[in-house]
């Protein structure tokens, strides 16, 4: 079968490999129906930071059809349509035992510690799979995982009703966070991104208002409100610094982007303005809710998708995305 495998930093190959063996107890084999490229996939490809096995079939945002189930798997059967969880947790460390598997002390991710979804077939533990509505297009079902990441960040930020919220970065997670906020929050939604085409798309889909990262651009807010809440999905230290400078006292700043640098931060800024700085890593228990939201969000999600023709085109799409060559939020290959 065909698979897209990461051998090392900057070394991504389309190869012919053996199909998965019959599933062992607790595992299932999947026919992959669709898989999307994540910003962390690009980061790992560019830097090799999280490479733990060579080679490994890339991709952790995907959906598939169960084609075989191992002994002990009772809640899934051949023919089920499922979306995949990206997290591989141990279940035994203090973090897992306290209900925080997303910060497991041995946490790994599908596509790194085990083969992922950029292949015609793959094999995963049954615990990482969740059935979805069979009417969903594969490209929509493959977005369950990033939607769960965005939902976790939005829940962590917990913006009070009516408060303005600034989303910095309209890539996948920023755009999906903005989409969720447009449905779940009743306050003004402000959007900032350097990619004008992508910003325009998210603005149109969510009804948010574009701004620059300065006080003059944000201007007067309804009811003479102050901006107290922001979410950064860029990881840019310059954007984070600018966002902090814009926040008035008593709010919070959620960080969900993968950063490539360090920020020079005066802690007194947080103390004197009483600003909460929140790290948001993957997701905890949000995947079932994200899956349940997919049918209602499908028309909007479809507008955010950029199709990849075949698995052979995945490495080239990595390059295009690293060069900023897409105006959409999610590049997805459909195999079904």
């Amino acid at each position: 079968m065909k698979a897209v495998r990461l051998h090392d930093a900057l070394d991504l190959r389309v190869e012919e490999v053996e199909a998965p063996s019959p599933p062992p107890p607790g595992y299932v084999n999947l026919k992959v129906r669709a898989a999307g490229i994540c910003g962390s996939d690009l980061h790992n490809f560019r830097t090799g930071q999280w490479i733990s096995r060579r080679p490994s079939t890339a991709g952790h945002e995907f959906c598939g059809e169960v084609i075989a189930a191992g002994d002990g798997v009772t809640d899934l059967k051949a023919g089920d349509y499922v979306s995949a969880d990206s997290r591989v947790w141990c279940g035994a460390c203090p973090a897992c035992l306290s209900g925080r598997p997303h910060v497991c002390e041995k946490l790994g991710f599908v596509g790194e510690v085990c083969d992922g979804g950029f292949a015609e077939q793959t094999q995963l533990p049954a615990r990482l799979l969740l059935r979805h509505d069979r009417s969903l297009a594969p490209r929509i079902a493959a977005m369950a995982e990033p939607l769960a990441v965005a939902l976790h960040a939005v829940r962590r930020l917990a913006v009070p009703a009516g408060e303005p919220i600034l989303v910095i970065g309209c890539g996948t997670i920023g755009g999906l966070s903005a989409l969720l906020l447009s449905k779940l929050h009743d306050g003004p939604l402000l959007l900032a991104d350097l990619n004008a085409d992508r910003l325009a798309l998210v603005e149109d889909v969510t009804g948010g208002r574009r701004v620059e990262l300065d006080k003059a651009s944000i201007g007067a807010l309804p009811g003479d409100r102050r901006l107290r809440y922001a979410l950064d999905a860029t990881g840019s230290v310059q954007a984070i610094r600018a966002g902090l400078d814009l926040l008035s006292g008593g709010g919070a700043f959620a960080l969900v982007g993968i950063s490539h640098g360090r920020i020079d931060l005066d802690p007194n800024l947080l103390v004197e303005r009483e600003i909460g700085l929140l790290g948001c890593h993957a997701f905890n228990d949000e995947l079932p809710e994200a899956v349940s939201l997919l049918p209602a969000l499908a028309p909007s999600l479809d507008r955010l998708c950029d199709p990849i023709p075949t698995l052979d085109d995945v490495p080239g799409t990595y390059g295009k995305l690293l060069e900023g060559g897409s105006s959409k939020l999610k590049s997805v290959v459909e195999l079904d």
Side-chain angles (χ1 to χ4, degrees):
M1 70 172 190
K2 190 172 290 187
V4 183
R5 306 214 292 170
L6 184 64
H7 286 253
D8 212 330
L10 304 178
D11 187 0
L12 187 67
R13 310 176 196 174
V14 180
E15 299 178 325
E16 287 292 332
V17 300
E18 294 291 329
S21 61
Y27 280 70
V28 302
N29 287 5
L30 300 177
K31 174 184 177 292
V32 177
R33 302 181 68 227
I37 299 175
C38 175
S40 60
D41 292 327
L42 299 177
H43 177 83
N44 200 31
F45 168 74
R46 186 166 69 85
T47 67
Q49 179 177 349
W50 301 310
I51 294 177
S52 58
R53 59 198 291 267
R54 293 173 173 83
S56 183
T57 299
H60 61 263
E61 299 179 358
F62 62 97
C63 67
E65 178 182 353
V66 175
I67 55 177
D71 290 343
V73 177
T74 58
D75 55 347
L76 293 172
K77 64 183 184 304
D80 283 345
Y81 283 7
V82 293
S83 295
D85 194 327
S86 60
R87 308 161 304 157
V88 181
W89 65 93
C90 74
C93 72
C96 288
L97 293 175
S98 68
R100 300 174 178 87
H102 62 306
V103 290
C104 169
E105 294 175 6
K106 299 179 181 178
L107 186 68
F109 285 89
V110 173
E112 297 160 15
V113 300
C114 65
D115 285 337
F118 284 125
E120 294 174 314
Q121 296 182 27
T122 194
Q123 183 180 91
L124 283 181
R127 69 175 186 172
L128 298 186
L129 300 169
L130 198 64
R131 279 191 298 271
H132 66 74
D133 189 321
R134 293 185 67 88
S135 69
L136 289 175
R139 61 187 174 277
I140 302 301
M143 295 182 74
E145 195 273 353
L147 188 65
V149 174
L151 185 59
H152 180 65
V154 168
R155 295 285 193 238
R156 286 271 289 157
L157 191 56
V159 185
E163 288 279 353
I165 165 70
L166 169 65
V167 175
I168 305 172
C170 292
T172 300
I173 302 305
L176 293 179
S177 297
L179 177 60
L180 288 167
L181 286 162
S182 74
K183 305 295 185 183
L184 304 176
H185 181 61
D186 63 356
L189 175 61
L190 310 178
L191 308 168
D193 196 291
L194 295 177
N195 185 318
D197 291 338
R198 191 167 61 192
L199 177 58
L201 174 62
V202 175
E203 184 181 27
D204 188 45
V205 169
T206 66
R209 174 167 69 89
R210 67 174 64 194
V211 297
E212 302 291 335
L213 294 183
D214 60 67
K215 289 184 172 66
S217 178
I218 289 174
L221 293 166
D224 197 30
R225 294 183 183 275
R226 298 291 188 267
L227 179 65
R228 294 185 173 88
Y229 294 88
L231 183 152
D232 176 79
T234 68
S236 162
V237 295
Q238 294 84 3
I240 294 169
R241 187 180 298 113
L244 280 170
D245 287 343
L246 289 172
L247 292 187
S248 294
F253 196 179
L255 307 182
V256 67
I258 301 296
S259 291
H260 299 279
R262 296 178 180 273
I263 188 169
D264 182 13
L265 175 65
D266 179 0
N268 289 322
L269 183 151
L270 303 180
V271 173
E272 293 171 0
R273 295 190 201 168
E274 200 170 44
I275 294 172
L277 199 57
L278 305 173
C280 304
H281 184 246
F283 52 93
N284 189 2
D285 55 2
E286 288 86 4
L287 187 60
E289 184 175 358
V291 169
S292 74
L293 290 170
L294 289 174
L297 296 178
S300 295
L301 295 172
D302 201 36
R303 295 182 59 190
L304 305 179
C305 286
D306 190 16
I308 304 172
T310 69
L311 285 173
D312 290 315
D313 299 293
V314 170
T317 305
Y318 268 57
K320 183 180 78 170
L321 293 172
L322 285 170
E323 294 170 0
S326 177
S327 61
K328 297 294 186 72
L329 271 65
K330 178 57 60 180
S331 295
V332 184
V333 60
E334 289 189 308
L335 286 74
D336 198 26

